[in-house]
Amino acid sequence: MHGSLQQLTEKAVSFFDNPIMIHDQDFYQLAAAGLTEQDQQWEYDATSDQYRVPYEIINDFKINSDYLDTMQTRKPSIFPAETFGYQILYLNLWYYGEYRGRILVDETSRSLLPSDAYLLENFTEIVKEYFRSSLYLRNMHNYQLARLLQAMLAGEPADQNILSTRLLYSGWTIQDDYFCACLFPQAADFYTHAMQYHCKQLSEKFPQSCVFEQENHIVVLMNASLSDCNVQQFQNEIAVYLRDGLMKAGISAIGHDLNDFFYYHQQALMAYKTGRQKQPTFWSYAFDQYRTDFILQHAMQTFPVRFLCRPELEILRAYDQAHSSMLEETLRCYLTNERALLHTAELMDIHRTTLLYRIRRIEELTGLHLDDEQTRFDLLLSFHLIFQ
């Protein structure tokens, strides 16, 4: 609880004769007084040492049309009794056009009166003073760093002195190891302002990070040097959070200069887009795992596959169709397994002598020299393109 705000809320109960609750934009309880057993149950979050609305209820809000309508109101309003069994008088807290929380008066002790709306407006002005004096001062340095990073994403070069100063408050340097993750929530998260909730949760889950909203996704910049967390560990740690929030994420490779943040962000976006196409059931996609896929897909946007592949493969394909042979598959298996004769023969369930015969036949038909490294690379790239 927040001392002075809690004391004010306790005094206000005597005017409303009903329970009062105040929560911020992240559904964390700022103050509460006069609660009864009928009132909504709050869940204790040990990480922040605060009470918050259970995540299951937040998910229900996302699909509750009545609740979604309440997110835009500017005056005291009534939430109907159908959802909780009693009416709720509420007033949203707005600060410079941004939603910052809500005050609720539950109709559980006496019926709501028209004068309660007037009282709530006056009480809200007092609460706003708390927001002005303390809520917007916390995490100021992270907020300033986030604004600087957003400017970098917009293509603005970072002033090195300002960037170094912002990082200094967190004990970071420009040359630390960094990676970027882009998380894509459900559309309903934007209507319920759950994006702010997710940002706070992620900031607490990953202390050595800077988290902020960016268009249709959440950006998490991780300091890999200070967090001692690599991309694989990050994927493991965030997996449950993504699943519970029905989100997916793209993650960049690790870089060593924060001035390249724009490209870390691009890598994360590319990993998300490419990975979701290749393996839609996964929750997260690391750029290093989809690097080749991205390069090939980008190339295929310019040329059809047949113009990117080695033409010798068409010769083998035509020969296989005419003679019911498997020369193209033999070549693919042979190169994929780094020309290991015994292993390739075992995988294809043929004798080693048969494999050697097929390889000679492939070279005779195509004129390929499989001892040449560039030739092997081109052929492997062609097979990757074919199986995209």
Side-chain angles (χ1 to χ4, degrees):
M1 294 295 183
H2 303 267
S4 59
L5 187 62
Q6 176 61 22
Q7 293 170 3
L8 286 169
T9 304
E10 291 172 356
K11 291 183 181 297
V13 169
S14 61
F15 294 95
F16 290 98
D17 294 324
N18 269 315
I20 302 174
M21 288 171 284
I22 306 173
H23 66 73
D24 64 12
Q25 72 272 22
D26 304 315
F27 293 97
Y28 277 86
Q29 189 182 103
L30 299 177
L35 300 186
T36 68
E37 291 184 0
Q38 282 184 278
D39 295 312
Q40 175 182 307
Q41 296 296 310
W42 295 79
E43 182 177 88
Y44 179 69
D45 180 14
T47 303
S48 62
D49 191 29
Q50 288 180 276
Y51 286 89
R52 64 176 175 84
V53 177
Y55 200 67
E56 294 78 13
I57 294 179
I58 296 175
N59 280 333
D60 290 339
F61 285 163
K62 296 177 185 179
I63 58 175
N64 186 314
S65 59
D66 288 332
Y67 187 85
L68 295 177
D69 290 340
T70 71
M71 300 307 297
Q72 306 304 320
T73 61
R74 303 276 176 158
K75 295 289 184 180
S77 306
I78 299 289
F79 191 76
E82 285 75 10
T83 300
F84 295 106
Y86 51 84
Q87 291 189 124
I88 300 174
L89 173 67
Y90 71 92
L91 182 55
N92 291 331
L93 295 165
W94 297 90
Y95 190 84
Y96 289 110
E98 294 187 20
Y99 172 83
R100 292 300 179 179
R102 176 174 291 185
I103 305 177
L104 307 102
V105 180
D106 291 352
E107 188 186 48
T108 55
S109 297
R110 68 156 172 81
S111 298
L112 294 171
L113 302 173
S115 59
D116 289 334
Y118 173 77
L119 288 172
L120 183 57
E121 282 187 301
N122 284 274
F123 181 56
T124 299
E125 290 304 312
I126 299 173
V127 172
K128 284 183 178 180
E129 286 301 319
Y130 162 76
F131 277 79
R132 294 187 187 102
S133 62
S134 64
L135 184 61
Y136 292 96
L137 294 178
R138 67 183 184 180
N139 298 325
M140 181 182 295
H141 299 311
N142 270 352
Y143 177 84
Q144 292 173 335
L145 176 58
R147 300 290 79 77
L148 188 58
L149 294 172
Q150 286 180 318
M152 294 171 70
L153 293 183
E156 299 177 20
D159 183 293
Q160 296 302 289
N161 290 330
I162 295 176
L163 180 58
S164 296
T165 302
R166 294 284 181 265
L167 296 175
L168 183 63
Y169 287 115
S170 301
W172 297 7
T173 70
I174 293 177
Q175 279 73 41
D176 284 343
D177 290 344
Y178 294 98
F179 64 87
C180 174
C182 293
L183 281 64
F184 291 81
Q186 298 291 300
D189 286 343
F190 296 92
Y191 296 110
T192 60
H193 300 280
M195 293 284 279
Q196 297 164 344
Y197 170 85
H198 289 309
C199 287
K200 181 173 181 178
Q201 290 289 299
L202 291 164
S203 294
E204 293 174 351
K205 186 175 181 64
F206 301 103
Q208 295 295 340
S209 69
C210 181
V211 185
F212 57 91
E213 295 180 44
Q214 179 70 17
E215 297 178 348
N216 66 335
H217 60 278
I218 295 170
V219 176
V220 181
L221 173 66
M222 284 291 301
N223 186 311
S225 296
L226 298 185
S227 65
D228 195 28
C229 177
N230 60 33
V231 172
Q232 182 60 58
Q233 291 168 327
F234 180 82
Q235 282 187 284
N236 294 338
E237 291 185 31
I238 206 171
V240 175
Y241 190 89
L242 294 175
R243 184 196 65 198
D244 291 346
L246 301 177
M247 292 188 284
K248 291 181 180 290
I251 309 168
S252 75
I254 289 182
H256 313 288
D257 187 340
L258 193 54
N259 286 301
D260 293 328
F261 172 64
F262 175 87
Y263 297 102
Y264 305 159
H265 180 257
Q266 287 296 307
Q267 283 187 340
L269 294 178
M270 294 167 186
Y272 166 75
K273 182 179 180 180
T274 304
R276 193 176 55 164
Q277 292 173 347
K278 295 283 291 186
Q279 292 159 314
T281 59
F282 285 19
W283 294 108
S284 65
Y285 311 99
F287 183 76
D288 282 340
Q289 297 169 319
Y290 297 95
R291 186 189 305 272
T292 302
D293 292 315
F294 166 73
I295 293 171
L296 298 182
Q297 287 183 10
H298 191 72
M300 291 164 62
Q301 293 173 5
T302 306
F303 289 100
V305 172
R306 68 180 185 275
F307 292 107
L308 295 170
C309 294
R310 290 286 300 232
E312 291 87 349
L313 295 183
E314 292 188 11
I315 297 174
L316 294 179
R317 193 172 302 119
Y319 183 89
D320 286 340
Q321 291 174 352
H323 299 84
S324 299
S325 56
M326 297 180 62
L327 295 186
E328 185 182 18
E329 176 59 20
T330 299
L331 178 60
R332 187 193 68 80
C333 190
Y334 177 61
L335 295 177
T336 302
N337 289 282
E338 299 179 342
R339 298 189 294 166
L341 290 171
L342 183 59
H343 186 51
T344 302
E346 289 176 349
L347 288 174
M348 299 203 68
D349 195 24
I350 58 177
H351 195 274
R352 182 174 180 274
T353 303
T354 303
L355 176 60
L356 288 171
Y357 167 76
R358 290 185 181 179
I359 293 171
R360 286 196 300 271
R361 189 69 180 129
I362 289 169
E363 292 180 328
E364 290 170 359
L365 287 169
T366 62
L368 290 169
H369 299 286
L370 299 182
D371 288 333
D372 180 68
E373 182 180 358
Q374 184 63 48
T375 298
R376 296 198 304 273
F377 176 81
D378 289 346
L379 289 168
L380 281 171
L381 199 61
S382 297
F383 283 122
H384 277 294
L385 283 163
I386 291 169
F387 290 99
Q388 277 290 313

